[in-house]
Amino acid sequence: MILTADDLETIRTAAYAAGDLRLAMTRTQRIAHRRLVASQETLFVVDCSRRWGKTIFDSIEMTDCALKVPRGILRWSVPTVQHGRDFVLPAMDYVSSLLPEHLRPRYYSQHNKWVWPSTGAVCHLGSCESLGDVQAQIGTECHRACIDEASKIRSDLLKVLIHSVLLPQFLTTRAKVRGYVIVTSTPADELGHYYTELVEAAQHGGAFVGY
């Protein structure tokens, strides 16, 4: 059976209405998603070129968790406040616009967070311009975290963010709801940046895709 453009649009509309945004992904994003879901690691790395669509990919992954985990706690780390404004907010606005009104999150700019009224899930947006910024993202537990453009975060701060701030928050959620950290980034420009070490470890552990 050959599906027409109208058939595909009907399928897409029904999927979005149910909160399933996988059809909004590109082919390579869907491959990355399948490998991410299949991985048993707590940290997964997507190393990609510019214009691959990493922030849209991140937005879909974060939204997926928020719609599936009641009262879920999510954390989204970015290099700078400006990066969040210029890239993350527009990406989330676009992805949210694909959903029916009752499934869309509300963004509270004064608290830098999204709240999904349908599930009570919350996603906190945090920058990494200083050690204080990184430590401000410490929390009791987390169900999904995303580090957008990790190679642009100062090397020593990225290491602290991952090992001292984010990963400990998955000690209680790793088994219950498959909590994990998604790291998406272009390759590091700086020689010896911790992101490069992170990529090598993820490749060795089978928790990596590169484009």
Side-chain angles (χ1 to χ4, degrees):
M1 178 182 177
I2 299 176
L3 297 175
T4 66
D6 286 343
D7 293 331
L8 292 173
E9 185 58 33
T10 299
I11 292 169
R12 184 179 292 108
T13 300
Y16 293 171
D20 184 349
L21 294 171
R22 284 174 296 177
L23 289 178
M25 292 179 171
T26 64
R27 182 184 63 84
T28 56
Q29 287 172 347
R30 286 195 293 272
I31 292 172
H33 171 77
R34 288 195 294 269
R35 292 183 182 173
L36 168 62
V37 171
S39 172
Q40 296 302 307
E41 300 298 319
T42 311
L43 189 143
F44 191 92
V45 177
V46 179
D47 184 64
C48 55
S49 62
R50 286 177 172 78
R51 305 302 300 162
W52 181 75
K54 60 185 174 298
T55 311
I56 292 294
F57 177 80
D58 293 341
S59 299
I60 293 173
E61 293 294 341
M62 297 297 264
T63 298
D64 175 71
C65 179
L67 293 177
K68 288 179 178 176
V69 181
R71 304 187 68 79
I73 300 172
L74 299 82
R75 296 194 178 278
W76 198 331
S77 304
V78 293
T80 64
V81 171
Q82 196 63 46
H83 182 97
R85 290 173 182 159
D86 291 348
F87 300 103
V88 175
L89 294 184
M92 273 296 287
D93 283 348
Y94 166 71
V95 168
S96 298
S97 73
L98 301 176
L99 295 168
E101 185 69 34
H102 71 283
L103 294 181
R104 295 175 187 171
R106 297 173 184 166
Y107 181 67
Y108 296 89
S109 58
Q110 67 272 33
H111 299 297
N112 294 318
K113 70 179 183 181
W114 291 270
V115 176
W116 281 260
S118 60
T119 62
V122 179
C123 178
H124 302 275
L125 179 64
S127 64
C128 300
E129 297 176 70
S130 68
L131 181 59
D133 290 339
V134 170
Q135 291 176 332
Q137 298 176 58
I138 292 173
T140 54
E141 68 174 11
C142 187
H143 298 92
R144 187 163 301 175
C146 173
I147 306 175
D148 191 66
E149 202 62 281
S151 70
K152 306 308 178 190
I153 298 172
R154 208 173 77 197
S155 183
D156 60 316
L157 294 181
L158 178 62
K159 193 169 187 176
V160 171
L161 174 69
I162 290 173
H163 296 286
S164 300
V165 175
L166 293 180
L167 286 180
Q169 298 180 48
F170 289 90
L171 291 175
T172 58
T173 61
R174 174 68 181 88
K176 289 191 295 184
V177 295
R178 176 71 214 291
Y180 51 79
V181 183
I182 307 168
V183 179
T184 57
S185 184
T186 52
D189 298 322
E190 177 189 334
L191 211 59
H193 194 285
Y194 179 65
Y195 174 71
T196 303
E197 185 180 328
L198 204 63
V199 167
E200 292 171 354
Q203 287 175 316
H204 181 73
F208 171 86
V209 290
Y211 292 104

